[in-house]
Amino acid sequence: MNFLPDAVEALFPPHAERKRIEEWLTQALQRALLHIQAGPVTPTIDMAAFRAELETFDFGRPRPLEELLRWTIERMQQGIVQMANPRYFGLFNPGPNFPAQCAERIVAAFNPQVASSATSPAAVALEAHVIRMVAQRAGFPAQSEGHFTSGGSEANYTAMLCALTRAHPQFAADGARAFAGPPVFYTSKECHGSWVKIAHQAGIGRSAARLVATDGTGRMSVPALAEAIASDLKRGCTPVLIVASAGTSSAGMIDPLPDCAALAQRHRLWYHIDAAWGGAMIASEKLRGVLAGLERADSATIDAHKWFATTMGCGMFLIRDATTLPAVFQVAASYMPSHQASVDPYMNSVQWSRRFLGLRLFLSLASAGWAGHAAHIERAVEQAAKIRQGLEARGWSVVNDSPLAVLAAVPPPELGSARTIVERVLKSGRAWVSLARFEEREVVRICVTHGETCEEDLSVLLDALTR
Ligand SMILES: Cc1ncc(COP(=O)(O)O)c(C=O)c1O
């Protein structure tokens, strides 16, 4: 006789019911995707009505799941900028690749806890393998390691903690107080904004971020960097880290990576390369030369959820000498089932409970190969070149000379300002582009992020930009 209450059916429905709903959901999502790809890129939702609708969810009265799923899909079709639309020329957020979407389903079904190698030995080993392969492809030595992160910001934060920990043996115990003079670090004024937040989070303060001038082309000025370090040393500050960008967020510019490496070496500073988006270029034999110097970094950020086109929440932190990671993150926890500092993710990364992040990149790399990812990248670069030609033929100028797939474009005066053009394009819903600042001027930022963008989408974009 069973004295236990039954499982809550709404949370754990019987097998046949799950199967029915999963099949329905698969069909519904396929229909929604076709709809999204043909429809407007920008949200069409009436937000006042949506907020009012949300108020009706006081969670007092359970509703049927199928009805809720239908409602959610409909609202998602109207209520977000559609990254899955091939006319999203956006902020590095990709149309998600299919193997990564399959991985999401598997991870959701098994829900492994990837904090510990004892709990999820296969998942931990699989992630470590992918990281090693990516690090080697990036030119790092064979013993290099790293881990998956929630995204580029977490990977960058990890680099900061490694730099501070290596810079002073007492940092781990005493924090910023350990340093004789205030710790400072260097990156360009075109860097990703995460670096300023990271300075705050790490306890060294936002003023520790030295935002070095660029050279007029969006790349960090090496003389300005050298001067900033010299001046800080004279003032009694303690330089700890140089961060070079390999693909700036606004214009895809690549800092002079070998020169930054040389300066870091001269001053014995940690050298990190933030290649959150541009790092995927390692896939392409033809184009990877633009990242020359990446292999000299102590650590690097590459996001799978950018140009590797996995679903969101899949970054990577790569590190040349992995012994620094346990020095930062090691901790005693008697209740954990394993305690290997070099293996267990909870002992060598920011996160504790950890989702099986890396399966998405594993399935995507394993099914498409480096060659598939190379083709994905090369086609985007080719499309950016086509857009550039189209714009120049219409009197625009492109003011960044990035080898990646992003354009910083300035319209001819008769079309109005970059700002008004971006507003007009977004209002039309025909495409999504953004306003950015590049070398002190407002530009229309156009980035090819979707792997299925085709010739017709480019025509729609050019039309939307010019009329
Ligand atoms: C160069 C660069 N670094 C870091 C980040 C932050 O990455 P995430 O948004 O994945 O945290 C971005 C995001 O666009 C980026 O462009």
Side-chain angles (χ1 to χ4, degrees):
M1 217 195 296
N2 184 5
F3 294 106
L4 278 176
D6 289 340
V8 177
E9 201 172 312
L11 298 178
F12 305 99
H15 178 76
E17 177 64 354
R18 283 186 199 213
K19 184 166 178 291
R20 187 185 69 74
I21 291 187
E22 277 198 25
E23 282 169 6
W24 174 85
L25 184 58
T26 301
Q27 304 279 330
L29 284 173
Q30 277 171 6
R31 278 194 303 274
L33 188 63
L34 290 175
H35 196 266
I36 288 167
Q37 295 199 329
V41 191
T42 43
T44 53
I45 198 161
D46 173 346
M47 280 305 291
F50 182 65
R51 287 199 185 91
E53 218 177 1
L54 282 178
E55 288 304 315
T56 69
F57 284 90
D58 63 1
F59 309 123
R61 177 182 61 86
R63 303 188 196 187
L65 180 60
E66 199 172 329
E67 179 192 305
L68 291 164
L69 296 176
R70 186 173 288 116
W71 178 85
T72 308
I73 292 171
E74 277 171 17
R75 296 304 173 272
M76 290 297 284
Q77 280 178 224
Q78 304 157 351
I80 59 167
V81 171
Q82 304 295 349
M83 318 289 148
N85 182 312
R87 291 177 305 287
Y88 173 73
F89 295 94
L91 298 179
F92 297 157
N93 311 303
N97 76 45
F98 188 62
Q101 293 183 52
C102 296
E104 291 276 15
R105 290 185 64 175
I106 296 173
V107 171
F110 286 91
N111 198 29
Q113 167 57 285
V114 188
S116 144
S117 61
T119 314
S120 304
V124 170
L126 182 148
E127 286 198 343
H129 174 75
V130 178
I131 291 288
R132 270 196 304 275
M133 289 295 114
V134 173
Q136 283 171 29
R137 185 89 184 176
F140 277 42
Q143 73 278 11
S144 305
E145 292 182 18
H147 51 260
F148 282 93
T149 62
S150 56
S153 295
E154 184 196 326
N156 287 347
Y157 179 47
T158 305
M160 171 65 81
L161 295 177
C162 288
L164 288 163
T165 304
R166 204 192 57 176
H168 199 296
Q170 279 303 106
F171 175 76
D174 299 335
R177 292 187 304 278
F179 293 96
V184 291
F185 72 102
Y186 307 85
T187 182
S188 97
K189 71 180 178 60
E190 291 281 333
C191 75
H192 187 259
S194 58
W195 288 104
V196 176
K197 285 170 61 174
I198 285 165
H200 190 151
Q201 283 166 244
I204 58 174
R206 291 175 181 230
S207 64
R210 302 289 195 247
L211 301 182
V212 176
T214 47
D215 61 359
T217 71
R219 300 169 177 92
M220 181 147 63
S221 154
V222 176
L225 172 61
E227 206 178 297
I229 297 172
S231 141
D232 278 330
L233 286 170
K234 221 181 276 169
R235 294 187 319 146
C237 297
T238 310
V240 293
L241 162 72
I242 293 175
V243 179
S245 305
T248 55
S249 311
S250 63
M253 301 311 298
I254 299 175
D255 286 337
L257 305 183
D259 293 345
C260 293
L263 270 177
Q265 204 170 0
R266 184 172 324 144
H267 293 283
R268 297 168 172 267
L269 308 182
W270 190 274
Y271 180 37
H272 181 78
I273 297 183
D274 183 354
W277 177 58
M281 295 281 266
I282 58 172
S284 165
E285 293 295 352
K286 196 164 106 193
L287 301 176
R288 58 181 297 164
V290 301
L291 295 176
L294 175 60
E295 71 289 349
R296 292 177 65 182
D298 290 301
S299 57
T301 292
I302 301 181
D303 274 351
H305 70 194
K306 291 192 166 70
W307 220 350
F308 282 104
T310 71
T311 51
M312 289 287 188
C314 195
M316 285 177 280
F317 176 72
L318 311 177
I319 184 167
R320 170 179 300 276
D321 172 10
T323 57
T324 310
L325 285 174
V328 178
F329 297 107
Q330 198 166 354
V331 68
S334 61
Y335 48 84
M336 289 300 281
S338 54
H339 309 91
Q340 293 183 69
S342 59
V343 177
D344 286 320
Y346 81 97
M347 285 193 131
N348 55 43
S349 67
V350 169
Q351 298 180 32
W352 198 294
S353 278
R354 172 181 280 277
R355 186 174 150 73
F356 188 10
L357 298 170
L359 183 64
R360 289 167 287 167
L361 184 59
F362 173 80
L363 287 183
S364 138
L365 274 173
S367 60
W370 289 112
H373 281 276
H376 170 67
I377 277 155
E378 287 162 15
R379 98 189 270 284
V381 170
E382 226 169 274
Q383 288 183 331
K386 280 205 168 142
I387 298 169
R388 181 186 188 127
Q389 274 169 17
L391 288 173
E392 287 174 349
R394 289 163 175 79
W396 290 59
S397 41
V398 171
V399 293
N400 65 330
D401 66 345
S402 169
L404 313 184
V406 63
L407 304 173
V410 175
E414 68 272 16
L415 274 186
S417 68
R419 185 176 291 268
T420 54
I421 289 170
V422 169
E423 279 167 9
R424 182 165 50 72
V425 172
L426 298 192
K427 203 162 165 218
S428 78
R430 296 160 79 195
W432 198 95
V433 294
S434 56
L435 186 70
R437 279 196 87 73
F438 175 67
E439 292 291 357
E440 313 312 331
R441 68 201 292 191
E442 281 196 339
V443 295
V444 180
R445 181 185 177 285
I446 304 160
C447 181
V448 181
T449 59
H450 198 297
E452 292 166 289
T453 299
C454 65
E455 202 76 37
E456 198 189 319
D457 299 313
L458 302 190
S459 303
V460 173
L461 170 71
L462 287 170
D463 238 45
L465 284 168
T466 47
R467 278 189 242 144

